[in-house]
Each structure stands twice: as C-alpha cells, then as structure tokens.
C-alpha cells in the first residue's frame, strides 16, 4: 500500500560540481540550500541583499550587483532607532547610517566579484504580493516594520511577473550566456497574506515561471514547493510556526536536489566533507587524553589527503579550528 504521493524528479543533464560557483538569491529557501552547499564545501554565495520575496526585489538586486551601483546616503532611511534600505532585508539594518551603508556596499562588492565567476544561479520566488510605499511610489523588498498605513498592497499581474522573470534571467545571461539557472517557488507559506491569498500568489508564480522558463534553454524549474505541498504534505514536516519547513523537510528536499543535480563523484565528496565536519565538531569528555590528540592528528591528515579534491582553501576554517583544538589539548 502507498500512503503518500512521492514526487520523482528527472535528473538534470547539467550537473553541479564543487568547481561551479553557485549564487543564490530569493526567499529563505535559498539560505537553507545555501547552508547545505556551504557545509558540503561548494563555492556558494547566498542572498547578498538578505532574504528577498518577490520578483521585483530579486530583479533589482541582480541589476545592482551586475552594475555595481553602490548605495548612497540618500538611499538609507531611518525608522525607530535603526537605519535601513528599502531594497534589503532587516538583517542589514544598523544603528548608524554609515554602518548600514558600509555593510550594504561591502556585500554588494563581494557579490559583484562573485557573480563574475558564478556558473549556477538559484533563484527562489516567494510571493507575488508587493508593497509600494506611498510617499515615494516605489516597491519595497521589505517593509521594515513600518506601519501598514504607509504602503499600498498589490498583487502583481501576469505581465508584470513575466517581465520581471525575463529581466532576471536576461541579467544573468548577459554576464554568463552559459549560466545554469535553477528557478524555484519557495515552499514557505506566506500565511500573513491569508491562506487563500497565499495560494493565489503561489499559483501565479508557478504558472508564469513555467511559461517564461520554456523560453530559456538554460532555465530549469526545481519543484521545491511541490515537494513540500504534495510529497511531504503533513504538518509534522513544518516548524512550530506551521509556515517554514522543518529541518527534516529541508533535509528531504536537499536529498531530492542532490539526486537531481549531483553525480556520484560529487555525492562522494559531500560525504567526505560531512565526515570531516562531524569529526571537527566532536568534543570528548577529556580533551587532554592521548586518544583525542591522535584523533585530532588523524583528522588533520584526512583533510590534507582530500583537500585537493575541493576548491582552494575549502577547509581553511576547519584547519584553523583544528590547530586551536590541538593547542588546547596540550
């Protein structure tokens, strides 16, 4: 007997390896997959503008990164005690204008440098609902807890969504015509908009993303939303907020992502990285024992034996931590 509908995803013809840098922009699903990629020693940069939800915000971020158009003081605003940018997530907000501006522009420079070599792009769209600030007439990436009375709320129509999606893809292809673009719809449910409104929003994104992707040979659709809603389809796979996927759900979607985009050699490298990560994280009851010192020594030798399989300096954080652990064990 079958008790659930399992979604089988065809393998991609274009495999992602450790030597193909990955840039991810979009919802917090990008952060979840980005963390998995980073811990597996891929070259990855996730959300240099912070979490972004709708196509217009993602399009704007890509345009600013590619043009390296730095932010100026007149693009930084204040509400309460913090300064912020309407284009960025609240994680960029600081208690001084200069600190906010420096953080934003340093990440922008980092992203511009990274995008020159990026070969894989993961774009995750979360919602078709947007907010336009009345005073300025611009669509914002984040409302920064400014009262709702300052905004008009809109549902993007099909033409707006398709135009923005095309712009996102074309911006990427302008800098790398052979880039592999993986587009997804976020599995996170935007219940604050309303259950019906969330379903309407997701359906618009899926429908328009499907139509636009057909026009680009390098764009692939990964069904993260469908895996959550139709394959797992149970509240036990959500966090306590009943909105975000649980760690178990993220692990499951990661497994599906891995089987779609990684070959056997890459999966073996991921296992090696995971094993080293677990070894580094191990803490004995007594760090002064000979057996623990031998364990640390063997772990260091293991890193030396495999680091040529990964991008340069992939294990520098582990090697540094290992040195500190060995010093403390003496």
């Amino acid at each position: 007997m079958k008790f659930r509908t399992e979604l089988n995803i065809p393998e991609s013809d274009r495999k992602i390896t450790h030597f193909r840098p990955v840039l991810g922009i979009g919802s917090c699903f990008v952060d979840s997959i980005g963390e998995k990629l980073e811990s597996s020693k891929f070259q990855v940069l996730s959300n240099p503008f912070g979490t972004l939800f709708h196509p217009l915000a993602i399009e704007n971020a890509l345009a600013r990164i590619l043009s390296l158009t730095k932010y100026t003081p007149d693009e930084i605003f204040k509400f309460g005690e913090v300064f912020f940018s309407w284009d960025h997530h609240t994680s960029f907000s600081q208690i001084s204008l200069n600190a906010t501006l420096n953080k934003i522009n340093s990440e922008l420079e980092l992203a511009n440098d990274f995008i020159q070599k990026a070969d894989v792009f993961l774009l995750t769209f979360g919602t078709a609902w947007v907010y336009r600030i009345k005073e300025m007439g611009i669509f914002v990436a984040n409302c920064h807890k400014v009262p709702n009375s300052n905004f008009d709320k809109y549902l993007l129509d099909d033409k707006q969504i398709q135009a923005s999606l095309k712009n996102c893809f074309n911006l990427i292809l302008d800098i790398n015509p052979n880039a592999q673009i993986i587009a997804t719809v976020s599995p996170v449910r935007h219940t604050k908009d309303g259950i019906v409104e969330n379903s309407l929003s997701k359906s618009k994104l899926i429908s328009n993303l499907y139509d636009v992707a057909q026009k680009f040979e390098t764009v692939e659709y990964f069904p993260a939303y469908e895996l959550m809603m139709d394959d797992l389809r149970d509240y036990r796979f959500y966090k306590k907020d009943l909105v975000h996927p649980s760690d178990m759900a993220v692990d499951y979607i990661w497994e599906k992502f891995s089987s779609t985009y990684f070959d056997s050699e890459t999966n073996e490298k991921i296992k090696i990285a995971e094993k080293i990560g677990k070894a580094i994280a191990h803490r004995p009851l007594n760090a002064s024992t000979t057996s623990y010192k031998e364990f640390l020594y063997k772990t260091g030798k293991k890193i030396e034996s495999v680091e040529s399989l990964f991008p340069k300096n992939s294990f520098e954080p582990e090697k540094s931590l290992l040195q500190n652990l060995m010093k403390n064990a003496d």
Side-chain angles (χ1 to χ4, degrees):
M1 296 177 67
K2 294 183 65 177
F3 294 96
R4 52 183 271 263
T5 304
E6 186 171 358
L7 181 58
N8 295 311
I9 307 169
E11 287 189 31
S12 172
D13 293 331
R14 298 187 68 183
K15 299 299 184 182
I16 302 174
T17 71
H18 283 83
F19 292 92
R20 297 185 65 201
V22 181
L23 176 65
I25 297 182
S27 79
C28 49
F29 177 69
V30 165
D31 295 320
S32 297
I33 295 299
E35 288 174 6
K36 295 286 189 184
L37 290 167
E38 186 174 5
S39 65
S40 300
K41 299 305 176 184
F42 287 83
Q43 302 173 82
V44 59
L45 179 64
S46 299
N47 278 336
F49 275 52
T51 307
L52 301 176
F53 302 101
H54 58 77
L56 300 182
I58 294 172
E59 176 191 347
N60 175 70
L62 284 168
R64 296 288 295 237
I65 291 169
L66 286 167
S67 64
L68 191 55
T69 305
K70 292 188 177 181
Y71 283 81
T72 58
D74 61 346
E75 294 179 283
I76 306 300
F77 302 88
K78 186 179 183 182
F79 181 73
E81 298 183 14
V82 297
F83 291 83
F84 64 90
S85 157
W86 289 119
D87 292 345
H88 291 74
H89 185 256
T90 55
S91 56
F92 281 81
S93 302
Q94 304 290 315
I95 59 173
S96 78
L97 187 151
N98 285 337
T100 304
L101 200 58
N102 289 339
K103 184 173 183 179
I104 286 172
N105 283 331
S106 63
E107 285 295 318
L108 184 64
E109 290 179 358
L110 179 66
N112 177 266
D113 179 67
F114 190 90
I115 207 170
Q116 308 299 325
K117 58 186 178 183
D119 193 38
V120 181
F121 292 79
L122 175 61
L123 304 183
T124 300
F125 303 93
T127 184
W129 289 102
V130 295
Y131 290 83
R132 186 171 68 182
I133 188 163
K134 295 177 181 178
E135 182 181 349
M136 303 174 64
I138 62 171
F139 292 106
V140 302
N142 196 292
C143 292
H144 295 277
K145 298 183 179 180
V146 174
N148 289 339
S149 58
N150 291 276
F151 302 94
D152 289 318
K153 182 178 179 180
Y154 295 94
L155 181 66
L156 294 173
D157 62 35
D158 292 342
K159 288 184 179 180
Q160 289 172 311
I161 294 172
Q162 291 203 15
S164 186
L165 292 174
K166 289 176 183 177
N167 288 340
C168 287
F169 301 153
N170 283 323
L171 282 166
I172 292 169
L173 296 175
D174 280 346
I175 195 169
N176 185 347
N178 296 315
Q180 180 177 5
I181 302 172
I182 301 170
T184 71
V185 172
S186 170
V188 177
R189 301 163 68 228
H190 290 250
T191 55
K192 289 183 179 180
D193 289 324
I195 299 297
V196 174
E197 291 80 1
N198 173 71
S199 295
L200 176 60
S201 168
K202 297 290 189 185
S203 65
K204 275 184 166 289
L205 290 175
I206 293 169
S207 175
N208 286 295
L209 188 52
Y210 179 84
D211 286 344
V212 174
Q214 302 302 307
K215 299 176 174 65
F216 292 83
E217 292 183 3
T218 60
V219 177
E220 303 173 19
Y221 179 74
F222 179 75
Y225 177 78
E226 291 81 359
L227 284 169
M228 193 71 203
M229 299 301 294
D230 296 307
D231 190 333
L232 298 178
R233 200 177 181 81
D234 194 303
Y235 275 104
R236 66 194 168 110
F237 295 113
Y238 285 89
K239 291 183 178 180
K240 289 183 179 180
D241 62 6
L242 303 181
V243 170
H244 291 85
S246 67
D247 292 342
M248 185 184 297
V250 172
D251 288 343
Y252 180 76
I253 295 174
W254 168 249
E255 286 181 6
K256 291 289 188 178
F257 188 89
S258 300
S259 62
T260 303
Y261 293 107
F262 304 149
D263 59 20
S264 58
E265 181 181 350
T266 299
N267 279 314
E268 284 302 314
K269 290 182 180 181
I270 291 173
K271 291 178 182 178
I272 292 171
E274 288 177 348
K275 189 173 182 180
I276 291 174
K278 289 179 180 179
I280 292 292
H282 173 68
R283 297 293 182 270
L285 293 175
N286 190 333
S288 300
T289 61
T290 302
S291 60
Y292 181 59
K293 293 176 182 178
E294 291 178 351
F295 172 78
L296 294 176
Y297 176 78
K298 289 180 180 178
T299 301
K301 286 297 182 182
K302 178 63 176 178
I303 292 175
E304 290 180 7
S305 68
V306 301
E307 58 184 340
S308 62
L309 302 174
F310 297 84
K312 188 177 181 181
N313 299 325
S314 290
F315 290 97
E316 286 306 307
E318 287 79 4
K319 289 163 71 174
S320 178
L321 178 58
L322 199 60
Q323 288 180 349
N324 291 331
L325 290 173
M326 294 180 76
K327 287 180 181 178
N328 293 334
D330 290 334

